[in-house]
Amino acid sequence: MARMQLVSSVSKWGMLQWPAQSRGRLVIFTVLLSAATAAFGLWGADYALHRSHSVMLNLIMMTACLVLLVIVAFSQAVLVGDLFFGSQWREQIFLGKKPVREDSAHDMRVVDERSSEFLIALICLFFANGFALNTAAGGFMDYYQNEGFSKVRLRADEPSERIAALVDIADPFNQKLWERPGIQDSVVESFSDPDEDVRAQAVWTAGRLKIQSARPALMQTLGDANQNSTVRAEAAVALGKLGNDTESRRLLEEVAADSTDHTLQIGCLRGLGLMASGLSVAPLGELVESDNEEVQIYALWALGQIGNDLARGVVKKYVDAEPTGVFRCAVYDAFKMTASKEDTMWARREFQRTDKEADCARVAWEDRSAKTYDIIWGETVRIKLLKIVANTNPFDHQEWIQRLVNDPSESWRVREVADEVLKQMKKAKR
């Protein structure tokens, strides 16, 4: 049975004809080729990480580097073969020469092709060169995969690509990357992007990743009157997501009070609601007096998020004024979160005198991650009043809640909520 020949035809391809003429030439060729490959690899790594704007170009360069590594490994394997198998092996395989025995007039193949050994050497040298080059480049492959790839996309010429990069960074599947300082720094650097949509996405991403080091830059963005109001509003929300901070809170309150741009005001109110500081009650109470209904609604929502006694005092003032329409819905939703036991009987009385058909349209805010915040819950006014009782003193009014469940004249929605309240009460007793 004929043996598999892996390298015996190399001479027919004309490969390494000049270097294979002598061991000296082979050494010089291998050293120069190894040096050129190392130089190209190190330059390519530096370019890809710090200057490249194109993921495709980086892919082409990395592919070219892999090809060079194969060629270098092949040349090195030939040199190893020449050193260990002898010069006759090199001449036979790469130059096509057939040595002649001194006692024979006929050409005879006297050198084993060493195909298996050559292939093993080639594979080992390829991986050794790749490992050495990756190490010399500072662990390029790991760094590029975890940070470099995103940074290249953030330098892309097209704003849509930069936005896509920021969206991908904020993806929960990439959460392991969120703690990497390089990723965080890249997000903050995007605050100064020339495209306003990219800037808006960047400040949102900073809030999503909770990059505490981004707080000064976010405050600067929020306070910059020359900045686009949408970007400033996103910066306000991001500050809210970073948690309570005295300087950030005061800036949010100041911008919300001084601005006439309702988009910016609402952004600040969202941030204050997320921050939920009891020190914001007074400024929020003033914003409830705004002439813009949406601003009023968000101010009440923020008061509800705070939920302390001071917030209750502000909201109770509007409850006692017997509000109507959308404003009443917002007031009652805020009161659900701030009411105390002394408000329970008022809620029961108001429940009885409220029209069963009085309904509230849902008002919600959805951020860029598709997370939804209900500003006004889509439910009847009577359900809101029932929830006020449930949130304040349900055990003293269990019999009344049970009657609602059993009353066929009540709407199925009220009976369903009352039944759920009873179930929660039973769980709380266990």
Side-chain angles (χ1 to χ4, degrees), residues 186-397:
S186 296
V187 172
V188 176
E189 288 170 5
S190 295
F191 290 2
S192 58
D193 192 279
D195 186 271
E196 65 184 41
D197 293 332
V198 177
R199 296 198 299 273
Q201 184 66 50
V203 296
W204 177 86
T205 301
R208 169 68 168 163
L209 274 59
K210 298 188 184 303
I211 304 175
Q212 295 297 330
S213 60
R215 191 184 295 274
L218 287 170
M219 292 178 62
Q220 182 179 358
T221 299
L222 175 58
D224 185 358
N226 296 321
Q227 185 70 262
N228 177 273
S229 61
T230 301
V231 178
R232 296 177 71 189
E234 286 288 4
V237 175
L239 286 169
K241 291 179 179 179
L242 294 185
N244 194 3
D245 173 78
T246 300
E247 290 186 19
S248 300
R249 173 182 57 79
R250 287 176 176 172
L251 179 61
L252 287 168
E253 294 168 355
E254 179 184 334
V255 173
D258 295 343
S259 177
T260 57
D261 187 319
H262 298 318
T263 298
L264 180 56
Q265 282 185 307
I266 290 169
C268 290
L269 289 170
R270 289 172 176 174
L272 290 169
L274 293 172
M275 202 171 284
S277 170
L279 298 175
S280 296
V281 170
L284 289 172
E286 294 178 4
L287 286 165
V288 178
E289 299 292 338
S290 170
D291 57 0
N292 181 273
E293 185 176 72
E294 193 173 8
V295 172
Q296 293 176 332
I297 290 170
Y298 270 95
L300 286 165
W301 170 78
L303 286 168
Q305 298 304 300
I306 295 171
N308 62 12
D309 290 339
L310 290 175
R312 175 191 174 275
V314 174
V315 177
K316 185 69 164 59
K317 179 178 67 174
Y318 297 103
V319 169
D320 294 340
E322 298 187 355
T324 58
V326 176
F327 188 70
R328 177 173 68 166
C329 295
V331 168
Y332 284 5
D333 269 338
F335 206 47
K336 282 192 301 187
M337 307 301 293
T338 57
S340 61
K341 282 188 177 183
E342 62 186 86
D343 301 310
T344 309
M345 289 307 301
W346 167 85
R348 282 190 56 173
R349 290 193 300 270
E350 194 67 20
F351 181 94
Q352 295 304 131
R353 59 192 287 259
T354 298
D355 184 358
K356 292 183 179 182
E357 303 301 321
D359 208 352
C360 294
R362 184 190 186 209
V363 176
W365 153 46
E366 186 176 282
D367 73 5
R368 292 171 183 255
S369 66
K371 181 177 180 179
T372 301
Y373 300 83
D374 281 285
I375 308 304
I376 296 179
W377 288 83
E379 57 195 6
T380 65
V381 175
R382 284 162 64 91
I383 288 177
K384 294 184 186 299
L385 294 164
L386 170 58
K387 288 182 178 180
I388 290 173
V389 175
N391 288 346
T392 53
N393 190 19
F395 292 102
D396 288 350
H397 300 271

Side-chain angles (χ1 to χ4, degrees), residues 19-30 79-88 90:
Q21 294 294 327
S22 68
R23 180 173 295 175
R25 288 188 180 186
L26 187 58
V27 170
I28 294 172
F29 177 79
T30 302
L79 181 58
V80 170
D82 185 54
L83 293 173
F84 287 94
F85 307 151
S87 59
Q88 287 186 337
R90 166 174 48 81

Side-chain angles (χ1 to χ4, degrees), residues 34-243:
S34 299
T37 300
F40 177 78
L42 293 173
W43 172 84
D46 179 76
Y47 180 82
L49 293 176
H50 302 113
R51 294 187 295 279
S52 176
H53 293 196
S54 171
V55 172
M56 182 58 65
L57 177 59
N58 292 347
L59 182 60
I60 293 172
M61 287 194 303
M62 284 187 278
T63 302
C65 190
L66 287 175
V67 172
L68 282 174
L69 285 173
V70 172
I71 296 173
V72 166
F74 186 87
S75 176
Q76 292 171 344
V78 174
L79 181 58
V80 170
D82 185 54
L83 293 173
F84 287 94
F85 307 151
S87 59
Q88 287 186 337
W89 175 84
R90 166 174 48 81
E91 292 172 352
Q92 177 178 307
I93 300 302
F94 295 97
L95 299 178
K97 293 182 180 180
K98 295 182 178 180
V100 180
R101 286 182 183 273
E102 293 182 357
D103 59 348
S104 173
H106 302 285
D107 290 343
M108 297 185 64
R109 190 175 299 276
V110 296
V111 179
D112 189 346
E113 293 171 355
R114 305 280 187 168
S115 296
S116 299
E117 294 90 330
F118 181 83
L119 184 59
I120 292 171
L122 175 63
I123 294 173
C124 291
L125 287 166
F126 172 77
F127 283 106
N129 287 326
F131 177 79
L133 184 58
N134 183 60
T135 302
F140 168 79
M141 294 306 297
D142 177 71
Y143 184 82
Y144 186 80
Q145 179 181 358
N146 290 319
E147 290 188 24
F149 179 73
S150 296
K151 289 184 175 181
V152 171
R153 296 181 68 194
L154 289 173
R155 291 194 297 265
D157 295 329
E158 292 297 325
S160 59
E161 179 64 18
R162 301 198 294 274
I163 291 173
L166 290 164
V167 171
D168 288 344
I169 288 173
D171 192 307
F173 285 106
N174 296 322
Q175 192 168 3
K176 289 183 178 180
L177 304 182
W178 294 2
E179 298 300 323
R180 296 181 73 99
I183 289 292
Q184 295 184 3
D185 291 344
S186 296
V187 172
V188 176
E189 288 170 5
S190 295
F191 290 2
S192 58
D193 192 279
D195 186 271
E196 65 184 41
D197 293 332
V198 177
R199 296 198 299 273
Q201 184 66 50
V203 296
W204 177 86
T205 301
R208 169 68 168 163
L209 274 59
K210 298 188 184 303
I211 304 175
Q212 295 297 330
S213 60
R215 191 184 295 274
L218 287 170
M219 292 178 62
Q220 182 179 358
T221 299
L222 175 58
D224 185 358
N226 296 321
Q227 185 70 262
N228 177 273
S229 61
T230 301
V231 178
R232 296 177 71 189
E234 286 288 4
V237 175
L239 286 169
K241 291 179 179 179
L242 294 185

